Amino acid sequence: MKGWAFALVVIFSVLLSWSIPRGESERAFLYFSSHEPLVKVVSLASADGGQDFFMEMTDSVATNIEYDFYRDTCPEAETIVRSTMAQIYSQHKNVSAQLLRLFFHDCFIQGCDASVLLDHSNGNKNHSVEKQAVPNKTLKGFDKIDQIKEVLENVCPAVVSCADILALATRDGVVLAGGPFYPLFTGRRDSARSYYDEAMAEIPKPDDNITQTLHLFSLRGFTDRETVSLLGGHNIGKIGCEFIQSRLHNFKGTGKPDPTVSPGFLNEMRVFCEDNGNEKSSQGSPMAATMASPMAFPTAGPMAAPMASSPMASRGMSEKPALRGMPYFQQLSSSVSSGAGFDTHYYQSLLRGRGLLFADQQLMANERTARLVRAYASDDGSTFRMDFARAMMKMSNLNALTGSQGQVRLECTLPVSS
C-alpha cells in the first residue's frame, strides 16, 4: 500500500513538473505547503514505463523509510522545513545550490546519513571527518541545516533526523530555484561516524574523464542517463574559479592550458578569474566545485592540499569569504535563451564547447552521454526536469540508515553520546 501511495505522489509530481512554466515553481512550492497529503488529489496513471520505475523505487528502499514518516511523531516537520527554507531563500538565493552540493557529497559517501555534517566521528575529536576532506573544504550550507534543525528541535525534540532535514531542505531548495518538485520518503537516521578516507577517494573530480565519472556514478547504481541528468544540477550556482584554474594555466601538470578549450572561451575564463590568484592544485567535486553549485568536481593535481590536524567547526568551515565563481546561467550562456535556472542552458553550453569543468565538457566525449546532452538541449527542459527529479529521488534513498540503525542527533554537527 505504501508503494502505491508513493507511486501516486510521484506521478502527480512529475506531471506537475512538466506542466508548471519555469518561473512558476515558487508558486507551486507554496501550493504544496498548503495542500497535503498529495495522494488525495492523484489519479492512478502511468506512461513510458513509469509504473515500473515507481515500483522499483519503493521496492529498493529500506522498510522503515516511508512517505510522511513523521505524520504521528512530528506532523508539522515537512511544513517547518519548507517554511524555514522559504525564509532562508528570500535572503540567500544561493542556498539552493549550496544544499544541493552538500546533499550530493553526503549521499555519495556511504549513503544519505548526514555524516558530512559531523565535526566528530564517534565522538573522537582526533579523527578526521568528511568536511575536512579536500573535495569538501569548500562546502557551504552547514549553518542553514543547523538553523532548520533548531526550529524542529523546539517543536519536536529528538525526533527529526539531520539526514531527513538535509534531504527535504535540498528538495525544497531545488523547487525554490525553479526546479521540479519530487516526493521523498523520510525516516532516515543519522550516522555517528564520518568517512574522511572515503570522501578523499570517492568523490568525482572536476578533471575526471568521462570513463572515470561514469564509473564512480555506476558504483552507486546510476545509469549513464541518470548521471548526465544529475550533472545538470550545475544549472544553478557558480563553479568556483579555483576549480577552473588548472584548465587555464597548467592542465594535468603540462604547464599549458587545456587544449580542448577554444581560445575565445579560454580568454573569457581568464578575464573573469585572473584576479582570483593562481591556485592550480585545489580540489573540490563534479557534483561539487562551486561556490554554490551542486555537483562541481575536485580539480586535478595531487590530493595534496594541506589538511588541518584537528577538526574544524562546521560554521567556521562554511563561512569562509566567498571566492569568485562562474555560473552556467547567463554569464557563460548569454546567447542561449533561458527562463530560469532549471532549463537547458547547461546542456546547450556543452554543445557549444563551453563546459566550465573538464568533467562537464567530457560528457561530449562519449557518444552515449553526448546523445543525452543533445536530447536534453533539444526541448524546453521538460525531459531534463523529469529525469533530474527521478534521479534525485533515487539518490535520496542511497544506503539510508533506518530503524535501530544510526541515531537522531540533537545537533547536526555532533553524534549523540553513547
Side-chain angles (χ1 to χ4, degrees):
M1 184 63 185
K2 177 183 72 176
W4 282 109
F6 186 71
L8 293 174
V9 176
V10 173
I11 295 167
F12 181 69
S13 303
V14 169
L15 292 175
L16 189 69
S17 294
W18 287 341
S19 63
I20 295 174
R22 283 181 299 283
E24 295 296 315
S25 295
E26 188 164 352
R27 190 179 306 169
F29 180 81
L30 297 176
Y31 171 86
F32 283 117
S33 298
S34 58
H35 293 74
E36 293 188 280
L38 301 178
V39 177
K40 291 183 179 178
V41 295
V42 182
S43 60
L44 183 60
S46 180
D48 193 26
Q51 183 173 326
D52 293 338
F53 171 78
F54 303 138
M55 297 309 297
E56 177 185 333
M57 289 294 298
T58 55
D59 289 343
S60 66
V61 298
T63 304
N64 292 315
I65 297 183
E66 59 186 78
Y67 179 69
D68 200 18
F69 177 83
Y70 298 105
R71 59 187 172 275
D72 297 322
T73 55
C74 189
E76 299 302 311
E78 295 193 30
T79 300
I80 288 171
V81 175
R82 286 194 194 100
S83 60
T84 307
M85 271 299 295
Q87 293 171 11
I88 295 171
Y89 183 83
S90 68
Q91 299 177 344
H92 306 282
K93 294 296 190 290
N94 60 353
V95 67
S96 300
Q98 290 176 352
L99 294 188
L100 185 52
R101 185 187 175 206
L102 188 61
F103 179 66
F104 167 78
H105 281 233
D106 181 44
C107 295
F108 216 74
I109 301 301
Q110 301 295 312
C112 305
D113 58 4
S115 57
V116 74
L117 306 179
L118 284 169
D119 284 342
H120 303 159
S121 184
N122 279 325
N124 183 354
K125 297 181 180 180
N126 296 318
H127 188 282
S128 296
V129 292
E130 287 173 48
K131 63 175 63 173
Q132 291 177 281
V134 174
N136 293 339
K137 295 183 80 173
T138 55
L139 288 175
K140 296 180 180 294
F142 297 102
D143 57 322
K144 307 305 188 297
I145 299 300
D146 289 344
Q147 182 177 339
I148 299 170
K149 176 66 169 175
E150 184 176 356
V151 176
L152 282 166
E153 285 299 302
N154 288 334
V155 177
C156 308
V159 172
V160 184
S161 69
C162 299
D164 275 343
I165 292 172
L166 180 54
L168 291 166
T170 298
R171 187 273 309 278
D172 295 344
V174 165
V175 174
L176 286 166
F181 176 92
Y182 52 92
L184 288 174
F185 285 126
T186 45
R188 299 167 191 76
R189 289 170 66 86
D190 301 323
S191 174
R193 178 185 170 189
S194 190
Y195 301 92
Y196 169 84
D197 291 336
E198 290 83 349
M200 286 289 288
E202 299 176 20
I203 292 177
K205 298 177 176 61
D207 67 332
D208 277 349
N209 62 38
I210 187 61
T211 301
Q212 293 166 322
T213 298
L214 292 177
H215 174 67
L216 287 173
F217 277 84
S218 69
L219 291 177
R220 275 79 182 169
F222 292 107
T223 65
D224 292 355
R225 180 168 181 163
E226 290 165 338
T227 300
V228 175
S229 68
L230 284 172
L231 291 179
H234 284 158
N235 266 317
I236 59 174
K238 298 178 181 179
I239 306 297
C241 285
E242 69 270 31
F243 300 104
I244 299 171
Q245 287 289 345
S246 67
R247 299 190 78 191
L248 309 184
H249 303 287
N250 186 27
F251 184 65
K252 294 185 178 292
T254 62
K256 299 178 181 179
D258 181 353
T260 67
V261 180
S262 69
F265 189 40
L266 184 68
N267 289 336
E268 184 176 339
M269 289 193 289
R270 281 176 170 168
V271 167
F272 194 91
C273 286
E274 198 62 37
D275 64 353
N276 199 48
N278 291 315
E279 300 175 48
K280 299 182 178 69
S281 63
S282 62
Q283 289 186 316
S285 120
M287 285 284 278
T290 85
M291 307 307 318
S293 138
M295 301 158 213
F297 312 45
T299 39
M303 305 276 269
M307 302 303 297
S309 59
S310 61
M312 298 173 68
S314 65
R315 286 183 178 83
M317 296 186 72
S318 65
E319 297 303 327
K320 294 179 181 178
L323 299 176
R324 287 177 65 84
M326 303 181 75
Y328 275 102
F329 181 53
Q330 293 178 341
Q331 186 93 32
L332 299 181
S333 303
S334 56
S335 64
V336 177
S337 175
S338 190
F342 272 84
D343 59 12
T344 66
H345 62 265
Y346 168 76
Y347 301 105
Q348 293 191 42
S349 293
L350 299 185
L351 289 179
R352 296 165 60 217
R354 295 170 66 86
L356 287 170
L357 300 176
F358 178 75
D360 281 338
Q361 194 58 51
Q362 275 284 291
L363 293 180
M364 297 303 297
N366 174 293
E367 182 51 36
R368 295 192 311 275
T369 55
R371 190 182 311 123
L372 291 165
V373 170
R374 290 192 291 269
Y376 287 144
S378 66
D379 67 10
D380 63 354
S382 298
T383 305
F384 160 61
R385 290 163 65 85
M386 176 188 69
D387 283 3
F388 182 82
R390 288 166 53 132
M392 287 297 291
M393 288 165 55
K394 182 173 179 176
M395 177 175 287
S396 72
N397 295 328
L398 289 179
N399 298 326
L401 301 175
T402 64
S404 61
Q405 301 172 316
Q407 56 187 222
V408 175
R409 293 183 215 141
L410 305 182
E411 296 180 46
C412 290
T413 58
L414 301 173
V416 176
S417 173
S418 59

